[in-house]
Each structure stands twice: as structure tokens, then as C-alpha cells.
Amino acid sequence: MSFREDFLWGGASAANQYEGGYLSGGKGLAVADALTGGDGIHGVPRTFIAKMPDGTMKKFGNMEEVPLGAEVIVDENTYYPSHVATDFYHHWKEDLALSAEMGFKCFRMSINWTRIFPNGDDETPNEEGLQFYEDVFKECKRLGMEPLVTIYHFDCPLHLANAYDGWVSKHTLEAFKRYAKLLFERYKGLVHYWLTINEININTNFMMNGVHDHISNRQNAEQARYNLFVGSAYAVKVGHEIDPENKIGLMIAHGVSYPYSCDPKDVFAELDDSRHGKWLYGDVQVRGKYPQWKINELKREGITLDKDPGDDELLKEGVVDFYSFSYYSSQAIAAKTDDKESSAGNQSHGVKNPHLQASEWGWTIDPLGLRITLNEIYDRYQIPLMIVENGLGALDKVEEDGSVHDPYRINYMRDHIQMMKDAVEIDGVDLMGYTPWGSIDLVSAGTGEMRKRYGFVYVNMDDDGNGDLSRSKKDSFFYMKKVYESNGEDL
Ligand code: BG6
């Protein structure tokens, strides 16, 4: 058996990195709008600028360091890549047409919370924002593409971060519930595929989640994580109630991890790292409860979660229909790391794997790891899977005639799709779709760079905001079109 006839081939994006129009049409500010660009290859991080309680301005490399009471601001003399990004806001018709031309059956995008509720918790929603997405979804349908909609992708409203410490607070959770419910009501019949919270398991995303103090304050970190789980379960439950046709998935960064060696200490280190980094999130959202090891850990550390009555039932009722995840690379985990080179990548906390090559940004390239990942998830949960992000962030060169030759990207795609094919045909994994990341160039989340490109369509925009935003097809565009039109047969 090859790929399903109704396989959802497509591409993926997120508003905070793609949409731009950061104050257009009544939109408010999100945390991502206050993050500067960085320099990934040279290790320069993205930064926030905050107004301190004494009125002075200070720069921070992480929300973690911004003290409560300081206000993260958007400084008018600073360049912020999300403000224009690659301007889907004004190019959506062209981008959807290009995607349909490539043979997409599915277009993954996210809704910007602050386009609907500018402060996150406003009394009434912003109709102009709701209408914008309605128009986009209708156009997707007209072109034969199912929208796959992420409700929350790294765009905590800045007001909720500054005033409520983001997801630590129940106020943010309640605001999210209203926001999610409204989306299901408004887009009933138009959107059938949803993802609740993007990469819920990536701890650096606490920054995007507006949580100030998550490293030294474990209580806050665990409460924010818990609130995210409850918010996701609520969205699944209410989404099913509003339209039983809705298919709702989770979103986990799921790179496979290998023990660095067969030393049982390395094997246990990998097990422990994987259950903290991935399986906890899958278990809660697929099985509907915290695993026992985590309950024991919280007890041991004296952490008590602030639960509301009915939460346990909600977690059980809000289990997902499918397991969706991003896969870029793998990592090796060692018990003793101080004598080994660490590995790069915004999803990786392991050591360098001597058997694998890496991208220019240090992310390992591991196609077989994708087959392993598909098998390990399917063996564990036995529900349909969807790969909602995958791809190679690379430096592209535009030739004089405007063409972009990107054989490195084509090779990456071919090798990974072959592994999907093997997982489906040989291993019997139930895979329902594939939406590679940033199919039209967009801003990198980890580094804020434009030059770290994933797309099959090039967008003329650089790291400093120069460029006319025109779109052009890379060689990989034609390759992906061939793959999609042959339902993954012609690699
Ligand atoms: C995932 C995110 O972490 O990986 C995306 O869901 C992100 O938002 C993608 O863009 C690639 O990471 P980066 O840092 O290269 O943009």
C-alpha cells in the first residue's frame, strides 16, 4: 500500500513569521512582534527591549531574564522581522495560487491571536481580522486545498505577557479558551483540520509564551505547561462539540533521540530526556493524563499544580484525533556531556552525532530518523500521524536570471519522502499528510533571519528588511510539484 488517495500533501506556515501586517486591520502586538532578528550562524540571539520599573530601557536575550514588572516594548527605531515578514497579509492570493500550482491538497497556516483579539483578552473580537482569515480559507477551498489551521503558533499577545506573565496565568488560559471557541464557531464548515498549540514541548517557546521566569521558578514553568495542556484539551473538546466533523491534532517537535552509546547510562539518559522532551506531551494529549513518572517528579520537587475542578475530565475528553509533529533532525544523548561537542538546532539539547552531516545551522540531517520517528510514535499510540513540518533551512543564491538552484533542498526532500514511503509501505504506519515547513520563504523562528530559507518559492526580502517581496520559483518548486502530482510515486 502506498500513500492514501486522500493524502494531504502541502506546505506549512505560521502567522508570526509569514503574515506581516503587524498593525494592519486592527491587529494588536504579539510577543513575536517585539523580538529582533539575530544571527544564527554566528550565534547572536534575538533580543527583547524592555522598559524597566525605574524607566530605563534594557535589552534581554530571553523573556526569562525580563523581570516581572518590566514591560517588553516595540521600539520604533529597531527593526523587527515579524512586522512585514514575507507579507502573506498582502500576498495571500498569489501565495495560495502558487501552492495550488505545486499540487497542494492542504495549506497549513496559523491564526494570529492578536488579529482576532488585539490584546488577547478584549471584550469583543476584531471583525476585520476574522474576515481576513475567512477570505483566505474560502480561497483555499476554491483552489482545492484543505486549510490546516494552527490556533496558537508562538504568538502570545504582548499584553498578556506583560500584564499576566503569559501562560503562567489562568487569565491567559481563559482568554485562549474564548479565542479558540470563537474560531471553531466562526469557521465551522470551512475548516476541518486543526492543530491546537504549536510545538508545545519546546521549552525555549516559553519565551514566545510570554512566561518570564521559567528556569529558576520551576513552579511557574510547570503551571504554564499545565495551562497549555488544559487549553489544548479544551480546544479539542469544544471543537468536536461545535462540529463533529473536525479533526484536531496536537503539535510536537519530535526529532528522534539516540543513546550516544550502548552504555546503559547513555540509554537511560536518552530515555529520561525523551520522556521529558516529547513523550510527556504526547501522553497527555493522546492518553489524556500525566504519566506516573511525571506525577512522581512533581511530588518529589514539591510542585503543586493549580488545577480547576473538572480539569482531569477535560484532559481525558480533549484527546486528539491524530498525532502531528515537526521533524527536522535527530539528536544523540549522552549521560556525560562535558567531554563531547554539543549539537546545534533550536530543538536539540544533545551531543554531536559522529555518523551524521549537519546543515549550515548545525541541524543534523537524518532521513532514516524520520522513519524511526514515524514507527516509534505509531507503535506507541496507534492513531493516524501527520508530519506538519520538515525541511532544510539553507542559504539560497539567486542567479542573474532570477533562478534559484537548490539541489541540497531537493535531496533533503527526496530522502525524507522516501523514508515516509518506507514507513507507510513496509512498516504499515498510518500517515495522513505531509506539510513541509515554510514552503514559501518566511522568517526563521529561532534566529529571526530571512536568509535561513526553507521555501520552494523564493521571496525577495533580506535580514534587514530590504527587498520588494516578489515571489519566484526555485528548482525545488518543480520537484515538489512532480512528487505531489504523482502522489509521492515519482521521487
Ligand atoms: C519549528 C517551528 O520549531 O521549526 C517553526 O514550529 C520554525 O515556527 C521551524 O520556523 C524551523 O525553525 P527555525 O528556527 O529554523 O525557523
Side-chain angles (χ1 to χ4, degrees):
M1 266 267 291
S2 192
F3 294 110
R4 297 168 169 201
E5 275 309 306
D6 60 353
F7 195 86
L8 293 168
W9 296 107
S13 66
N16 81 89
Q17 293 156 256
Y18 183 37
E19 202 174 84
Y22 85 114
L23 288 178
S24 306
K27 185 185 164 299
L29 291 172
V31 168
D33 295 322
L35 258 179
T36 66
D39 179 344
I41 290 179
H42 300 105
V44 181
R46 308 185 72 179
T47 53
F48 288 111
I49 300 170
K51 190 169 172 195
M52 305 302 284
D54 64 4
T56 55
M57 296 294 181
K58 211 173 156 191
K59 284 189 178 173
F60 294 93
N62 195 326
M63 185 67 96
E64 155 68 13
E65 297 150 17
V66 182
L68 271 175
E71 186 191 355
V72 172
I73 57 141
V74 170
D75 170 43
E76 57 184 33
N77 299 314
T78 301
Y79 176 68
Y80 293 96
S82 77
H83 291 190
V84 175
T86 47
D87 202 24
F88 179 68
Y89 194 67
H90 296 104
H91 290 77
W92 57 275
K93 279 201 176 156
E94 184 184 356
D95 287 1
L96 294 179
L98 282 162
S99 302
E101 187 186 334
M102 240 187 295
F104 282 26
K105 298 279 181 297
C106 173
F107 185 77
R108 179 180 171 214
M109 56 182 281
S110 73
I111 293 185
N112 214 321
W113 185 344
T114 54
R115 200 173 284 293
I116 309 301
F117 290 104
N119 291 296
D121 59 355
D122 311 66
E123 287 281 302
T124 47
N126 172 31
E127 176 54 33
E128 203 175 334
L130 286 164
Q131 189 61 49
F132 169 70
Y133 294 110
E134 186 175 324
D135 293 345
V136 171
F137 299 149
K138 283 186 172 152
E139 183 68 358
C140 284
K141 292 288 215 193
R142 193 184 72 75
L143 293 167
M145 298 185 289
E146 286 293 337
L148 169 64
V149 177
T150 317
I151 297 173
Y152 176 71
H153 192 131
F154 301 168
D155 50 14
C156 181
L158 191 57
H159 165 69
L160 297 180
N162 279 331
Y164 295 96
D165 203 5
W167 278 90
V168 175
S169 151
K170 292 277 167 113
H171 180 84
T172 300
L173 170 61
E174 290 310 312
F176 174 80
K177 287 182 179 175
R178 272 183 65 220
Y179 159 63
K181 182 162 185 263
L182 174 71
L183 300 187
F184 287 116
E185 286 165 350
R186 173 70 177 229
Y187 303 122
K188 182 175 175 174
L190 206 49
V191 177
H192 286 119
Y193 293 94
W194 300 85
L195 305 178
T196 56
I197 292 167
N198 188 66
E199 288 189 344
I200 191 167
N201 59 323
I202 296 291
N203 274 335
T204 49
N205 292 348
F206 277 114
M207 178 156 95
M208 303 293 201
N209 291 333
V211 177
H212 288 74
D213 190 5
H214 60 88
I215 295 175
S216 53
N217 191 333
R218 289 260 300 119
Q219 174 70 43
N220 277 359
E222 293 299 345
Q223 189 63 44
R225 201 186 323 276
Y226 178 75
N227 289 343
L228 283 159
F229 282 138
V230 173
S232 177
Y234 173 84
V236 175
K237 182 172 184 274
V238 81
H240 285 151
E241 282 165 5
I242 289 169
D243 186 350
E245 297 283 294
N246 277 330
K247 296 272 175 259
I248 310 173
L250 46 71
M251 179 8 178
I252 288 183
H254 202 122
V256 65
S257 303
Y258 308 115
Y260 185 74
S261 77
C262 54
D263 179 342
K265 291 196 192 73
D266 283 347
V267 176
F268 188 79
E270 186 283 315
L271 183 151
D272 200 44
D273 188 81
S274 287
R275 66 184 181 185
H276 278 94
K278 293 176 298 208
W279 298 121
L280 166 67
Y281 303 84
D283 289 356
V284 174
Q285 294 178 91
V286 178
R287 295 173 170 164
K289 58 178 185 175
Y290 272 51
Q292 194 58 44
W293 67 263
K294 185 68 186 177
I295 296 170
N296 292 358
E297 177 185 280
L298 293 174
K299 203 166 164 204
R300 231 177 15 249
E301 295 188 18
I303 292 169
T304 310
L305 298 173
D306 178 10
K307 294 182 173 188
D308 285 331
D311 274 6
D312 287 350
E313 292 70 32
L314 181 58
L315 288 181
K316 283 204 178 68
E317 289 163 353
V319 295
V320 292
D321 300 309
F322 59 96
Y323 188 108
S324 31
F325 63 100
S326 57
Y327 178 87
Y328 291 93
S329 59
S330 61
Q331 56 184 350
I333 302 292
K336 190 167 172 291
T337 54
D338 50 5
D339 56 344
K340 298 177 187 72
E341 202 180 327
S342 68
S343 68
N346 71 350
Q347 308 177 28
S348 168
H349 22 260
V351 294
K352 195 172 160 63
N353 185 333
H355 304 285
L356 298 172
Q357 299 294 311
S359 78
E360 284 147 311
W361 275 264
W363 293 25
T364 54
I365 299 176
D366 183 7
L368 182 55
L370 178 57
R371 181 170 171 193
I372 297 169
T373 299
L374 286 163
N375 275 283
E376 68 175 14
I377 301 172
Y378 194 62
D379 283 350
R380 188 174 181 117
Y381 298 125
Q382 302 276 307
I383 59 172
L385 311 188
M386 183 159 177
I387 302 161
V388 295
E389 287 183 31
N390 171 235
L392 180 70
L395 293 164
D396 288 334
K397 178 165 173 278
V398 185
E399 304 295 338
E400 279 192 3
D401 64 358
S403 57
V404 176
H405 304 306
D406 54 349
Y408 37 89
R409 186 169 290 111
I410 292 174
N411 290 338
Y412 181 101
M413 303 314 294
R414 179 188 293 114
D415 293 348
H416 284 77
I417 297 171
Q418 181 62 53
M419 289 299 129
M420 287 159 46
K421 215 165 148 54
D422 289 352
V424 169
E425 290 177 0
I426 302 171
D427 307 325
V429 168
D430 183 5
L431 184 62
M432 57 187 270
Y434 179 59
T435 56
W437 179 244
S439 42
I440 293 178
D441 285 344
L442 38 67
V443 176
S444 158
T447 67
E449 291 165 304
M450 256 321 301
R451 64 184 172 154
K452 189 181 186 190
R453 295 171 184 273
Y454 287 86
F456 313 125
V457 172
Y458 186 89
V459 179
N460 180 4
M461 184 67 162
D462 72 13
D463 287 343
D464 303 314
N466 306 306
D468 64 5
L469 294 164
S470 58
R471 274 68 173 146
S472 54
K473 298 168 188 172
K474 304 181 193 177
D475 288 356
S476 54
F477 178 98
F478 302 99
Y479 174 74
M480 294 306 285
K481 181 173 164 64
K482 182 177 71 127
V483 173
Y484 285 5
E485 288 178 353
S486 65
N487 199 25
E489 287 304 313
D490 191 355
L491 295 182

